[in-house]
Amino acid sequence: MRATEVSVPGTKRSRYEAIRRRRLGRPSLLLLALLLVAGQALAQPAPDEWPHPLELQPPPIDYEPPEARQERLSNGITVFLLEDRTLPLVQGVAYVEAPALYDPEGKVGLAALTAAMLREGGAGELSPAELDIRLEQLAASVEASADTYLASVGFDTLSSTLDEVMPLWRDVLVQPRFDPDRLEVRRQRQLEAIRRVVDDPVQLALREFFYRVAEGHPTGAYPTLESINAITREDIVEFHRSYYGPANTAIAVAGDFDSDEMLARLEQLLGDWRVEVNPPPPIPPLDEEPDGTVYLAPKQMSQSVVVIGHPAVLAYSPAYNDLDVANHILGGGGFTSRLFEEIRTRRGLAYATASVVTQGFEYPGTFVAYSISPAQATHQVISLILEEIERLQSQPVDPAELSLAQETILNQSLFRYDSAAAIAQRSARVSLLGLEPDYYERYLDNLQQITAEEIQRVAREELHPQEAVIMVVGDPELFGGSLEDFGEVVTIDLE
């Protein structure tokens, strides 16, 4: 019964409610009984002959993923096609080297705003509203975005409407209209999102951490009210003209189609796209030496957010494989990782804690360890994170712990590329980023050969707890110790 409804005794509604409650009561009692039986069963100790879950030895995985067919259009665009007839669906993406790295000084956010306006600003003969309606009628989507290294324009459609949707996708990529009214709507939404970052301690901590780790470099830059307001429609048109072109584009299409027919369709749609693109803008070098500074963003709250890290290694360097496994043991492995087990499970000092190594292609990625904790535990949590990193450097990893990490990463890899679309898109990104075609397969082969000695070596060479940037958001009066114990403290003005 909804809160606004009233059941009056003696009426049909009250009798109906009584019957309904009785009917609902029976399965509820049955469910409770089942739970009690299940609980009693769960309370029984496991038979001695049952192995511990972490000691299970699953059989080796024999999985050969399909390969995407690689072709090239007459204008030089590399195309990856992978048929999958299990469902009447087709997904396609054009990856373009028009990333946020190319944002000019004072106009951070230009690449992302350009990508957003490709779709939102109308395209070809259609106004923004007409494009919205047409895609809704076709039950299809066309979306665009940009990250640090690539922009992307994708479509998702039923195979029966492919001939209607792909020309719309082509117009969004090649002939965007950048409608001025829609641009202002988008601008206001983005300005409001920027204003709200300071109200979200996690977003605030991550934004300020990456800015401090890569200060002065585009990988750490973030859009501000001033930079978004400084971007004009002419800037967006010029950015598109400068960096969106065949020489900077790779396409992945997967799903229910014939590859020869799809290749002919792509040639017909995009073969005459022959604009020249500009060379990448000059980008300043990244300072890879952390200075060990502690940054504090004071905020009155009962919790704290701690982010610790520094620049790491390139994603295609030999050290990346070793560091990826080392990070899995330290904090990337979820419930079985050392940070989670020590800080959350054993001591109960954090709501969440983990670590990650981000992938960097033209510039090194970043090692990041983090925790969301009660404010009173802040000082202790920072100490424990640093101690666990140093333990990884000073003590050999147990063979069982290493084997579990390798098996887990290998098993997870099956779910990262478990669809034809994911496999084709990975091939397109690898091609555009200049990596070897078998980059990912070699990564999986190499990680299985890593030894405990190599984990310890890479931890010593690539992790720098004493020089790491430490970012803390919270109330320093409640931290349970001084942040100065970890280095020079710089307070960030959030106004």
Side-chain angles (χ1 to χ4, degrees):
M1 186 172 61
R2 296 193 298 269
T4 53
E5 294 178 343
V6 177
S7 178
V8 179
T11 64
K12 289 182 179 178
R13 171 167 292 178
S14 69
R15 289 195 292 276
Y16 165 76
E17 288 298 330
I19 294 170
R20 189 171 71 91
R21 282 195 291 270
R22 286 199 297 274
R23 289 177 175 173
L24 289 174
R26 289 170 187 160
S28 299
L29 289 174
L30 178 60
L31 177 61
L32 178 60
L34 290 172
L35 289 173
L36 288 172
V37 171
Q40 290 175 345
L42 291 173
Q44 299 298 320
D48 293 338
E49 63 271 22
W50 287 14
H52 189 280
L54 296 182
E55 298 173 350
L56 291 173
Q57 295 294 327
I61 297 173
D62 184 15
Y63 173 64
E64 290 292 335
E67 291 187 10
R69 172 180 166 183
Q70 182 175 347
E71 297 288 351
R72 189 177 292 273
L73 302 185
S74 61
N75 59 359
I77 295 178
T78 304
V79 175
F80 294 88
L81 305 174
L82 189 53
E83 297 180 22
D84 178 6
R85 303 303 183 100
T86 54
L87 291 172
L89 302 172
V90 180
Q91 289 179 280
V93 183
Y95 292 101
V96 187
E97 287 184 89
L101 276 176
Y102 295 179
D103 283 343
E105 186 175 355
K107 297 189 178 183
V108 176
L110 175 58
L113 197 54
T114 301
M117 290 307 300
L118 290 173
R119 165 63 183 86
E120 296 178 15
E125 300 297 322
L126 299 182
S127 69
E130 290 170 336
L131 181 58
D132 294 341
I133 293 171
R134 186 62 185 137
L135 287 171
E136 188 172 341
Q137 291 171 335
L138 294 167
S141 68
V142 174
E143 304 294 340
S145 63
D147 61 23
T148 302
Y149 292 103
L150 295 173
S152 63
V153 183
F155 69 87
D156 194 336
T157 181
L158 293 167
S159 50
S160 58
T161 56
L162 201 54
D163 289 337
E164 289 82 9
V165 173
M166 286 192 68
L168 300 177
W169 164 73
R170 182 264 183 200
D171 286 347
V172 168
L173 174 66
V174 176
Q175 293 184 312
R177 296 172 58 145
F178 299 126
D179 180 83
D181 292 337
R182 283 292 184 99
L183 172 59
E184 291 311 308
V185 172
R186 180 73 189 190
R187 188 196 306 277
Q188 293 307 315
R189 286 167 52 196
Q190 191 150 351
L191 291 174
E192 185 59 26
I194 292 171
R195 293 188 187 98
R196 292 188 178 189
V197 167
V198 294
D199 296 327
D200 185 327
V202 174
Q203 283 193 45
L204 177 63
L206 291 174
R207 186 190 73 176
E208 294 298 324
F209 168 79
F210 281 103
Y211 173 74
R212 308 294 165 179
V213 165
E215 194 160 0
H217 192 268
T219 53
Y222 61 84
T224 64
L225 300 179
E226 292 75 19
S227 71
I228 294 300
N229 276 322
I231 296 171
T232 66
R233 182 179 180 279
E234 288 69 29
D235 292 327
I236 293 174
V237 171
E238 179 60 22
F239 191 87
H240 180 266
R241 189 208 62 74
S242 298
Y243 301 118
Y244 282 74
N248 282 1
T249 301
I251 293 175
V253 187
D256 180 26
F257 57 79
D258 177 85
S259 292
D260 291 335
E261 293 177 3
M262 177 56 71
L263 188 61
R265 184 183 282 110
L266 287 169
E267 180 63 37
Q268 182 183 16
L269 287 171
L270 293 167
D272 62 350
W273 188 32
R274 295 181 182 274
V275 298
E276 296 290 331
V277 297
N278 291 354
I283 296 176
L286 172 66
D287 182 2
E288 300 180 27
E289 298 296 328
D291 60 4
T293 302
V294 180
Y295 294 95
L296 168 66
K299 205 169 182 60
Q300 289 189 341
M301 55 187 207
S302 58
Q303 303 171 6
S304 65
V305 181
V306 173
V307 187
I308 301 174
H310 51 72
V313 298
L314 292 168
Y316 48 82
S317 65
Y320 178 81
N321 296 345
D322 299 352
L323 187 58
D324 194 33
V325 179
N327 173 68
H328 193 93
I329 293 169
L330 176 67
F335 293 106
T336 61
S337 70
R338 292 183 177 186
L339 292 181
F340 194 95
E341 187 172 343
E342 181 65 24
I343 296 176
R344 175 168 171 163
T345 304
R346 200 168 81 81
R347 299 177 184 257
L349 295 177
Y351 309 111
T353 183
S355 65
V356 65
V357 179
T358 66
Q359 285 191 317
F361 294 98
E362 296 179 41
Y363 301 93
T366 306
F367 164 73
V368 184
Y370 65 89
S371 176
I372 303 173
S373 308
Q376 294 82 354
T378 303
H379 189 278
Q380 189 177 2
V381 165
I382 295 174
S383 298
L384 289 170
I385 291 175
L386 299 176
E387 288 172 9
E388 285 299 327
I389 296 173
E390 291 171 349
R391 183 160 76 96
L392 196 64
Q393 297 173 317
S394 60
Q395 300 177 18
V397 175
D398 183 85
E401 192 177 22
L402 173 58
S403 178
L404 176 63
Q406 291 168 314
E407 289 293 331
T408 303
I409 295 173
L410 188 62
N411 292 336
Q412 289 173 343
S413 69
L414 299 180
F415 298 99
R416 292 174 64 183
Y417 300 107
D418 60 349
S419 70
I423 293 170
Q425 291 166 16
R426 183 190 72 201
S427 299
R429 289 195 301 272
V430 166
S431 167
L432 210 53
L433 291 169
L435 306 180
E436 295 295 326
D438 61 345
Y439 154 76
Y440 190 68
E441 287 74 15
R442 285 192 291 110
Y443 158 74
L444 293 179
D445 289 339
N446 291 336
L447 80 84
Q448 297 177 74
Q449 311 303 322
I450 295 170
T451 65
E453 290 73 22
E454 288 169 324
I455 294 297
Q456 194 171 0
R457 176 191 52 75
V458 79
R460 286 174 178 163
E461 294 178 357
E462 304 299 344
L463 298 181
H464 313 288
Q466 301 306 321
E467 292 80 29
V469 169
I470 300 177
M471 180 71 222
V472 185
V473 176
D475 185 348
E477 298 296 324
L478 305 176
F479 284 169
S482 173
L483 293 180
E484 293 181 348
D485 293 342
F486 307 107
E488 179 187 1
V489 178
V490 175
T491 300
I492 298 172
D493 184 4
L494 297 178
E495 296 299 327

